[in-house]
Amino acid sequence: FVVHGFPPRALGGTEIHTRALARSLQRDCGHEVAVLTRDADPQVAEFSVTAQMQDGLQLFAINNTFSGFRSFGETYRAPRIADAAMNVIRRVAPDVVHLQHLTCLSTELPFRLRKAGIPTIATLHDYWLLCHRGQLFDVDHRACDGPHVGCGRCIRPHAGFGAGAYRAASLVRGIERRLPQSLARVVGRTARDAAHGVAGLDAAERHGRRRRLHMLRALGAVDEILAPSDTLVDRFVASAVPRDRIQRITLGIDQKPLEGVERTASDRLRIGFLGSLIVSKAPHVLLEAFAGLKPESARLEIFGGIGDYHGDDGYRRVVEPLMDGPGITVHGAVPHERLAEVFAAIDVLVMPSTWIENAPLVIREAFTAGVPVVASDLGGMAEMVEDGVSGLLFEPGNVDALRRQLQRLVDDPGLLSSLKRGLPEARSIEDFAAEMERRYLDLVARPPRESRCLAAVVLNYRTPREAVLAVRSLERGRRPPDEIVVVDNGSGDDSEEVLQRLLPGRRVIPSTANLGFSGGMNLGIRCALSLGADAVLLVNSDVQLGHEAVSLLERALEDDPQVGIASPLVLHREAPDRIASAGLHFSRLTGRMRHRDHGQQRRGGAGIHRVPAIMACAPLIRAEALEAVGGFDDDYFFSFEDLDFCLRAGAEGFASVVVEAAAAYHAGSLSIGATSPAR
């Protein structure tokens, strides 16, 4: 298992679940289990590895205090952590690796494991692969409907810097560790405020686009993806991960410590909150709702400590004054081993979170202990709590709505009894471990995946039959793509139905709106990368490729690592001996561009020529180049997006070439019309 933290040092839901599963697989199924995790000890050498045995488990910890990074990208890709991790993995020689969470470790691991031929499975426990903050909860403390353009506001304090700024940040963290807590907060807040001023929003947006594509590539490198809630599945599908790549599962819990919890009778309703007192979990909503109840009617038991949220400690000033009210007892953080005592002391658990919780472990634990749950009508909480049956739901963030639900429990003692009778049976960790054992064995028995994957994206806008012809030309080529993704770019006609009918079995992705060439291709690119594509062929619907074209373009990328974009010679479909484009010339002096050799007769050459840019009607683009640039700029709705992309790729060290022997036959302007005012 690879996980970002492990008990007893880390007690989040993912960490506790991983420990329970590891123990059950070893104890009940007889397997050897090793855990690779992260430590953060400033007294230990950065990226060093410590090893120990814990309850029969091999536990390896890589030290990462974030003091050794030189850029924003390194904070998640972390090649040096990947090096250390692979040394451990080679030592353990596992049959299968299960990635539980990679934050604070390295998203390079899936690529390294794929290259090593080690079967890999990943569980999505939250949104970290989509969202730098992990919870799709933005800097304004609101649930986010992203990821989308606009992530730069959240990334801005961490991105847009060079190596010097990251060295300065490491120095600040070192100073913080040596100061009293109150003074350290001031230093840290001052540094973050300065970071906001230094990092440009445009730079942060670019970092956000790069991160998004990288994470989809990382998902594409794993063999199997699991998700414990429909909410998680839907969010990743909305980010262009194909639904058939994600398998829905129900997690299990260790039920033994919670069986037979006995609670004494009370003359007042005992309301509980369990978890970190951070802004996304919104304990202030519960505290304000509780303040509206009569003191003699209920008690509020709070189990958890106040924590900073991504370095922001401002929430402390909101929640601390609210905890001084009558009838409130603050117990502080409680070890997981004492969870039975917590549930014995409460009648109902309240989860007022305003972030879109996924599949909270604590709800399953409450149900096992015989405690109903009052929760925000949001995400995985609403999936798990059946309103009026196993608990009550209320509008997220609405203090009055929560107070009304709590008042119902106060006024009607029979309601609490009814909810207790409606509690579902939680899945045991033993049953879940048995399912995972079957999945692991099945994964190990599968033939190994191809070492490289080439995917094609065909973009359609109201020309579905042309798009079908483009797909057919790909299928008939000497080197058919491993995956073909067809994007219907908000055509608003019968295009999607025609494509589904004429291309059965092919992936057809509908866009709800016309996103332009850039946005439509980006949608297909994200899907292709999540399928494991190492290179993506972008095909306009009015293009048909020659028989050898794809294999020649692929060879151009393989033969020269510096080549990031390889284009065929673009010919006129109506005059196939005439060149439409042999690449683009660009003048930085005038800002003008023109197509090389436009209108000239094809001479039958077989050379490969470096050019400033290419015409994007059928280029093959290396996945690393797509990631480095962050895809196409959506602001280029139609035209010049290819020039912009190639110039930015060149700045990142990726060359553009035209392969003369490869041919693409382009009709041109079928979607928009050659003489239209829009063109």
Side-chain angles (χ1 to χ4, degrees):
F1 290 132
V2 179
V3 65
H4 62 310
F6 201 74
R9 291 193 179 185
L11 292 172
T14 301
E15 299 95 305
I16 292 168
H17 164 77
T18 302
R19 179 178 64 178
L21 178 57
R23 285 175 170 175
S24 184
L25 281 164
Q26 186 158 287
R27 178 189 65 235
D28 305 314
C29 303
H31 298 294
E32 181 182 354
V33 183
V35 177
L36 176 63
T37 188
R38 174 244 186 173
D39 200 2
D41 188 342
Q43 307 304 318
V44 175
E46 199 76 334
F47 310 134
S48 62
V49 178
T50 57
Q52 62 175 293
M53 296 298 293
Q54 186 186 111
D55 297 330
L57 301 172
Q58 300 177 76
L59 186 64
F60 300 89
I62 301 174
N63 200 56
N64 175 21
T65 65
F66 286 89
S67 62
F69 296 127
R70 295 163 296 198
S71 69
F72 174 66
E74 275 196 12
T75 64
Y76 54 85
R77 297 189 63 163
R80 285 172 287 181
I81 291 180
D83 292 340
M86 288 306 295
N87 287 336
V88 170
I89 287 167
R90 281 189 287 268
R91 172 179 168 184
V92 173
D95 297 296
V96 64
V97 170
H98 191 151
L99 306 174
Q100 299 282 355
H101 214 301
L102 290 174
T103 186
C104 304
L105 291 168
S106 175
T107 50
E108 286 284 328
L109 264 180
F111 304 104
R112 306 278 187 98
L113 292 166
R114 179 183 174 188
K115 186 175 182 180
I118 300 174
T120 309
I121 195 167
T123 297
L124 307 174
H125 287 285
D126 61 15
Y127 308 111
W128 182 75
L129 291 171
L130 302 180
C131 168
H132 170 63
R133 293 163 68 87
Q135 295 185 328
L136 286 175
F137 196 72
D138 67 20
V139 289
D140 298 317
H141 301 158
R142 295 177 303 194
C144 173
D145 63 356
H148 46 54
V149 175
C151 293
R153 291 185 64 247
C154 293
I155 288 177
R156 189 176 180 182
H158 313 276
F161 308 118
Y166 267 83
R167 284 193 292 271
S170 299
L171 178 62
V172 169
R173 281 191 288 271
I175 294 172
E176 282 184 274
R177 285 194 291 268
R178 290 165 175 79
L179 292 175
Q181 189 177 36
S182 58
L183 188 55
R185 287 198 193 104
V186 173
V187 171
R189 192 181 306 120
T190 302
R192 284 189 298 276
D193 290 345
H196 271 283
V198 171
L201 188 57
D202 286 345
E205 288 287 0
R206 287 195 296 273
H207 280 288
R209 289 194 292 267
R210 290 169 181 166
R211 183 186 188 278
R212 184 179 186 184
L213 291 186
H214 172 77
M215 294 303 182
L216 291 172
R217 286 186 63 217
L219 275 178
V222 305
D223 297 288
E224 193 168 301
I225 305 170
L226 309 178
S229 72
D230 293 333
T231 297
L232 270 170
V233 173
D234 292 343
R235 282 298 173 125
F236 277 82
V237 169
S239 193
V241 179
R243 191 172 291 273
D244 60 8
R245 280 280 287 146
I246 308 175
Q247 299 188 47
R248 172 73 163 84
I249 58 168
T250 299
L251 302 180
I253 66 166
D254 186 1
Q255 297 178 339
K256 292 183 178 64
L258 298 171
E259 291 173 345
V261 170
E262 296 183 7
R263 58 183 57 78
T264 57
S266 173
D267 59 344
R268 291 185 288 178
L269 178 71
R270 294 169 297 186
I271 302 165
F273 175 90
L274 175 60
S276 299
L277 298 166
I278 57 177
V279 63
S280 61
K281 290 188 177 293
H284 69 280
V285 174
L286 172 58
L287 288 161
E288 291 175 9
F290 179 80
L293 302 178
K294 294 180 179 179
E296 66 275 10
S297 66
R299 290 165 42 193
L300 177 56
E301 311 287 342
I302 296 179
F303 299 90
I306 300 175
D308 295 352
Y309 189 70
H310 291 275
D312 182 357
D313 65 345
Y315 188 63
R316 180 182 299 270
R317 296 188 293 275
V318 174
V319 77
E320 274 185 338
L322 298 174
M323 294 192 295
D324 290 334
I328 300 173
T329 304
V330 181
H331 299 272
V334 178
H336 192 257
E337 288 71 21
R338 293 179 53 198
L339 211 56
E341 299 175 30
V342 172
F343 288 120
I346 63 175
D347 300 308
V348 63
L349 177 72
V350 178
M351 292 193 65
S353 295
T354 49
W355 80 280
I356 310 164
E357 297 249 20
N358 313 304
L361 177 70
V362 69
I363 292 181
R364 291 186 173 88
E365 292 170 332
F367 287 167
T368 300
V371 176
V373 177
V374 177
S376 299
D377 189 4
L378 192 64
M381 296 177 289
E383 288 183 47
M384 298 171 71
V385 177
E386 188 175 355
D387 191 34
V389 177
S390 58
L392 301 173
L393 298 175
F394 66 95
E395 180 185 354
N398 189 324
V399 172
D400 292 335
L402 174 55
R403 183 183 297 121
R404 286 193 294 271
Q405 296 291 48
L406 296 177
Q407 191 66 54
R408 287 178 63 192
L409 292 170
V410 169
D411 295 340
D412 182 6
L415 176 57
L416 186 63
S417 299
S418 173
L419 296 177
K420 287 181 180 179
R421 290 193 296 271
L423 296 178
E425 183 177 347
R427 188 180 193 183
S428 71
I429 193 64
E430 293 81 7
D431 183 65
F432 181 69
E435 178 191 341
M436 291 310 304
E437 178 187 41
R438 291 191 295 271
R439 288 183 178 275
Y440 297 148
L441 292 173
D442 174 69
L443 191 59
V444 170
R446 293 180 200 170
R449 295 172 72 189
E450 293 292 332
S451 59
R452 296 193 64 79
C453 173
L454 188 153
V457 176
V458 178
L459 183 64
N460 172 71
Y461 181 70
R462 298 184 176 178
T463 57
R465 285 171 175 77
E466 289 286 333
V468 170
L469 292 176
V471 171
R472 297 290 183 241
S473 76
L474 295 173
E475 294 171 337
R476 291 192 297 264
R478 179 180 292 277
R479 200 302 191 205
D482 302 297
E483 298 279 355
I484 298 179
V485 177
V486 183
V487 176
D488 181 50
N489 202 9
S491 294
D493 56 13
D494 64 347
S495 287
E496 183 185 350
E497 185 273 328
V498 172
L499 292 169
Q500 296 280 11
R501 176 166 48 83
L502 297 181
L503 297 172
R506 289 294 181 194
R507 299 181 188 276
V508 177
I509 303 178
S511 171
T512 56
N514 181 5
L515 304 176
F517 181 91
S518 295
M521 279 299 187
N522 282 339
L523 182 59
I525 287 167
R526 291 195 293 271
C527 178
L529 295 181
S530 72
L531 290 168
D534 300 287
V536 184
L537 180 71
L538 306 181
V539 183
N540 244 347
S541 62
D542 58 358
V543 169
Q544 296 180 35
L545 281 95
H547 185 68
E548 302 281 352
V550 177
S551 58
L552 291 169
L553 297 178
E554 186 174 41
R555 191 183 308 158
L557 295 187
E558 291 173 350
D559 289 348
D560 188 346
Q562 288 188 331
V563 174
I565 303 129
S567 170
L569 192 66
V570 182
L571 305 170
H572 289 285
R573 244 162 70 180
E574 64 275 15
D577 61 338
R578 294 290 174 179
I579 297 172
S581 179
L584 302 178
H585 276 304
F586 175 69
S587 169
R588 294 186 180 275
L589 181 63
T590 65
R592 296 292 299 276
M593 73 91 172
R594 64 183 177 85
H595 293 281
R596 294 175 67 246
D597 299 340
H598 177 77
Q600 295 185 21
Q601 188 166 1
R602 184 183 186 186
R603 295 180 294 272
I608 297 177
H609 304 287
R610 291 203 176 195
V611 292
I614 52 85
M615 181 180 183
C617 66
L620 182 64
I621 306 179
R622 197 183 295 274
E624 291 86 349
L626 287 165
E627 178 189 327
V629 177
F632 289 99
D633 188 333
D634 288 359
D635 286 345
Y636 290 94
F637 186 85
F638 179 83
S639 287
F640 302 104
E641 70 290 316
D642 41 15
L643 174 62
D644 172 71
F645 180 89
C646 292
L647 293 176
R648 288 191 289 130
E652 297 292 336
F654 293 98
S656 299
V657 300
V658 172
V659 181
E660 282 189 324
Y665 302 94
H666 183 223
S669 304
L670 290 187
S671 298
I672 197 169
T675 61
S676 70
R679 178 171 170 80

